[in-house]
Amino acid sequence: MSKRFYITTAIDYVNGQPHLGHGYEKVVTDVIARTRRSLGEDAFFLTGLDEHGQKVQQAAQKENRTPQAYCDELAADYRAFATTLNLTIDDFVRTTEPRHKAVVQAILAKLHSAGYFYKAEYRGFYSPKEETFLTEKDRRPDGTFDPSYGEVVELVERNYYFKLKDQQQWLLDYIEAHPDFIQPEYRRNEVLGFLKNNTLEDLCITRPAARLKWGIPLPFDPAYVTWVWFDALVNYITIPAAHGDPVVLEALPDLRAKFETQNSNLELWPADSHVIGKDILKFHAVYWPIMLKAMGLPLPRQLLVHGWWQKDGAKISKSTGNVVEPLKVIGEWGVDAFRYYVVRELDIGPDGNWTDAGFAARYQAELANGLGNLVNRSLSMLKRYRQGIVPKRSDELAPNAAASFTAAVENLKASRLQSALGDIWTLVTRANQYVDQTAPFKLAKDPAQSARLDEVLYNLVETCRVLAVLLWPYIPQTSERIFTQLGLASKPDHLADAAWGRLAAGHSIGDPAPLFPRKDLAAKPA
Ligand code: MSP
């Protein structure tokens, strides 16, 4: 067995329903996972939930439920969300699962006996909302703390700390030596700047159980639970361990008895890509590598850092009601319209802005009038003029298809999803222009133009087939519908099948049906 392409999303806090940010990150990750599979690689896609910590404990308390009952109900919603988004996930991790607890505890025990931790008293400020300790450095010039910390309290507390003093230089050297480790480049520079200009403080990795019960107990001191970030980051290792990954089990041999199997051990670690938002970069680029090195495990190959969505130019916020509800949008416009819009609108890196009008405009212009119209009129004309029978091969649009394919694959391999979509759309636009230039409806009226009409029709339906293959990672349901309408029994899930000329003369297509029904432009997504 060989190593799989292992890709993850952040695991979401279960303190509310899934929102646009969660949906975006998952779609981006799914497009990359599907691309890898379509290129012939074995990929493994992990997502899941971050269920411990004060926020969840408080949210449960508010509803008078136990934290576990509260999490179980929301976990069902998040799993359903993954299905609705048509994600090709291979596992779904919850940090309250016994398999995850076992891995966190094995890691804590290993690092504790290796002398990475010490116990000390902390006196200072604490933000319960952010579950974080604050120092004088965190004060603003007027002496107050940023409102995002909520109410800040003074605290005296004994806790376990992870020594970070000796870790700064190797991490800095590593990031300098591995330019692809943090993408995009400006996020990498942010981390380098942080490491060059600050001294890492030792990391508090526990909370007293007397104050916070909802966490994983330390295996060597049950009076403490694990700090939620130490717990959460480990999820990326839990799943390889649970699937018997030999690299992970070698570093954590105590887990062998629990997870090793005779013949189904998957090779996953190191992760090829952790897809995360910009707000959690420090945890992934600083603490996670340090934890991994201490465990004796290689670092992930890449952190792919995306920006944040706003709506109508303002922060998305439940309290102000400025939200986008992905499930409502999908209910009204279809899952592929949602998948398409988020990737087309926002490149991986900068912040983006959702507007209902922008969504509706892209739907109408690009999906309904662009792709949908091309496929519908191409197939309808083949039905009408040739009884749905594919004519002999013609290569007029072959160079356009090849150019889009080459450019898109190069961009897809580098996870430049928005650019690759642009490359594919060049072919959509070219083919629609080809219909206008060749005017097959006129050719059909002139029997002397019959051979020319055959050529045009072949070029159009073959372009539709190529587009279905190229678009499958992005809008899989639509691609599969195009294949069904083309009368093809196979799936459009192999990029190699985008090579021109696979549609055989004499093949009989199925029935065309609109892919993206036109909507009244005044209609808005919910
Ligand atoms: N539980 C932590 C992650 C632990 S990973 C080991 C967490 N959860 S979260 O629910 O707050 O966020 C999950 C992901 O969604 C993060 O990558 C975050 O950046 C992303 N987003 C949350 N809001 C977002 C937007 N408005 N826009 C885009 N992504 C955003 O952080």
Side-chain angles (χ1 to χ4, degrees):
M1 212 181 280
S2 59
K3 183 179 169 329
R4 297 190 182 207
F5 181 89
Y6 176 35
I7 187 163
T8 65
T9 66
I11 49 171
D12 304 327
Y13 288 130
V14 281
N15 53 4
Q17 286 293 317
H19 57 57
L20 173 61
H22 298 147
Y24 172 64
E25 189 173 278
K26 287 174 173 54
V27 169
V28 163
T29 310
D30 190 56
V31 175
I32 299 173
R34 282 179 185 266
T35 296
R36 293 289 161 168
R37 296 198 186 98
S38 194
L39 284 165
E41 275 180 66
D42 273 333
F44 191 100
F45 174 6
L46 175 68
T47 190
L49 292 174
D50 189 355
E51 303 190 355
H52 288 126
Q54 195 139 322
K55 280 187 208 170
V56 175
Q57 186 172 290
Q58 281 167 349
Q61 253 162 16
K62 245 198 210 162
E63 295 188 11
N64 267 327
R65 327 255 314 258
T66 64
Q68 191 65 58
Y70 172 86
C71 288
D72 288 348
E73 188 175 316
L74 276 170
D77 295 340
Y78 276 81
R79 276 181 193 275
F81 186 51
T83 305
T84 304
L85 286 173
N86 206 356
L87 305 183
T88 51
I89 55 175
D90 295 282
D91 207 334
F92 187 96
V93 62
R94 298 180 56 191
T95 55
T96 51
E97 289 175 87
R99 59 179 180 172
H100 178 68
K101 287 186 193 168
V103 177
V104 170
Q105 291 188 326
I107 292 169
L108 286 165
K110 175 171 175 168
L111 300 197
H112 184 56
S113 29
Y116 281 98
F117 304 150
Y118 65 93
K119 206 170 175 184
E121 185 172 275
Y122 171 84
R123 274 171 193 277
F125 300 103
Y126 183 71
S127 151
K129 178 164 175 259
E130 289 302 311
E131 293 183 42
T132 201
F133 296 97
L134 300 167
T135 66
E136 287 301 329
K137 272 194 295 184
D138 297 304
R139 281 189 195 271
R140 298 189 296 186
D142 67 358
T144 60
F145 291 99
D146 192 279
S148 64
Y149 291 120
E151 190 199 354
V152 174
V153 294
E154 281 196 78
L155 204 74
V156 181
E157 197 167 276
R158 278 179 76 72
N159 269 307
Y160 285 86
Y161 287 82
F162 189 157
K163 292 179 210 160
L164 299 190
K165 299 221 162 57
D166 302 333
Q167 310 283 351
Q168 190 151 353
Q169 194 55 47
W170 74 259
L171 182 58
L172 193 56
D173 295 343
Y174 183 89
I175 298 172
E176 298 265 23
H178 296 83
D180 289 338
F181 176 50
I182 304 170
Q183 284 294 320
E185 175 86 20
Y186 50 90
R187 296 292 175 209
R188 170 174 181 260
N189 292 337
E190 241 175 56
V191 177
L192 285 173
F194 171 78
L195 287 171
K196 283 177 187 162
N197 298 320
N198 295 277
T199 305
L200 284 183
E201 308 232 0
D202 290 347
L203 188 64
C204 181
I205 53 134
T206 57
R207 298 293 182 261
R211 175 159 77 75
L212 177 69
K213 298 221 161 21
W214 191 232
I216 299 178
L218 290 197
F220 47 87
D221 190 344
Y224 289 90
V225 300
T226 314
W227 174 49
V228 68
W229 270 101
F230 194 103
D231 166 349
L233 287 162
V234 167
N235 91 85
Y236 303 131
I237 288 296
T238 296
I239 295 309
H243 290 276
D245 186 324
V247 172
V248 173
L249 293 185
E250 182 161 348
L252 300 167
D254 289 355
L255 293 172
R256 275 218 165 100
K258 194 169 170 62
F259 294 128
E260 203 164 44
T261 61
Q262 282 297 302
N263 46 23
S264 65
N265 301 316
L266 296 187
E267 293 178 27
L268 298 175
W269 196 260
D272 292 270
S273 191
H274 288 319
V275 181
I276 55 166
K278 63 178 186 177
D279 56 317
I280 56 175
L281 176 57
K282 186 171 152 190
F283 298 102
H284 285 79
V286 179
Y287 302 141
W288 182 225
I290 291 174
M291 286 165 64
L292 285 165
K293 181 154 186 283
M295 287 177 224
L297 281 171
L299 305 197
R301 301 214 165 109
Q302 185 166 80
L303 306 177
L304 189 57
V305 189
H306 64 76
W308 266 43
W309 282 93
Q310 294 193 324
K311 180 171 186 233
D312 300 327
K315 189 174 166 18
I316 291 183
S317 153
K318 259 195 290 186
S319 49
T320 61
N322 194 40
V323 291
V324 178
E325 291 179 62
L327 288 172
K328 270 197 182 168
V329 176
I330 292 169
E332 191 175 343
W333 298 80
V335 61
D336 280 352
F338 178 80
R339 290 176 62 110
Y340 173 80
Y341 175 75
V342 289
V343 179
R344 176 66 189 80
E345 179 68 25
L346 183 56
D347 198 7
I348 301 173
D351 289 340
N353 188 30
W354 176 291
T355 62
D356 291 349
F359 182 96
R362 282 202 187 281
Y363 179 92
Q364 204 80 355
E366 294 161 24
L367 294 177
N369 297 340
L371 178 65
N373 190 32
L374 172 69
V375 173
N376 199 248
R377 55 184 177 163
S378 300
L379 273 59
S380 299
M381 288 190 290
L382 187 68
K383 272 274 181 201
R384 196 171 324 129
Y385 306 137
R386 293 294 181 262
Q387 291 75 47
I389 311 289
V390 175
K392 110 172 183 307
R393 173 172 169 167
S394 164
D395 294 347
E396 215 171 334
L397 291 181
N400 302 86
S404 280
F405 173 77
T406 308
V409 167
E410 197 187 319
N411 276 322
L412 277 169
K413 281 184 176 161
S415 300
R416 289 188 293 263
L417 308 187
Q418 191 193 45
S419 303
L421 203 46
D423 299 327
I424 300 168
W425 234 258
T426 309
L427 184 58
V428 173
T429 309
R430 173 70 189 103
N432 270 322
Q433 191 188 48
Y434 180 78
V435 179
D436 299 339
Q437 286 166 349
T438 56
F441 24 88
K442 284 191 193 146
L443 298 175
K445 292 189 186 134
D446 180 358
Q449 296 285 357
S450 175
R452 178 62 185 146
L453 180 60
D454 278 346
E455 281 172 10
V456 170
L457 291 174
Y458 185 90
N459 278 287
L460 287 174
V461 283
E462 176 60 357
T463 298
C464 293
R465 191 194 65 80
V466 170
L467 283 169
V469 176
L470 294 177
L471 286 168
W472 183 79
Y474 296 91
I475 46 173
Q477 209 178 65
T478 304
S479 289
E480 286 163 21
R481 288 183 68 201
I482 296 174
F483 259 43
T484 306
Q485 293 183 22
L486 283 169
L488 298 169
S490 58
K491 274 182 93 182
D493 60 355
H494 282 91
L495 273 163
D497 290 340
W500 186 265
R502 301 263 167 113
L503 210 49
H507 170 78
S508 190
I509 66 163
D511 289 323
L515 296 169
F516 299 98
R518 288 204 176 83
K519 303 244 181 191
D520 172 7
L521 252 190
K524 284 181 159 194

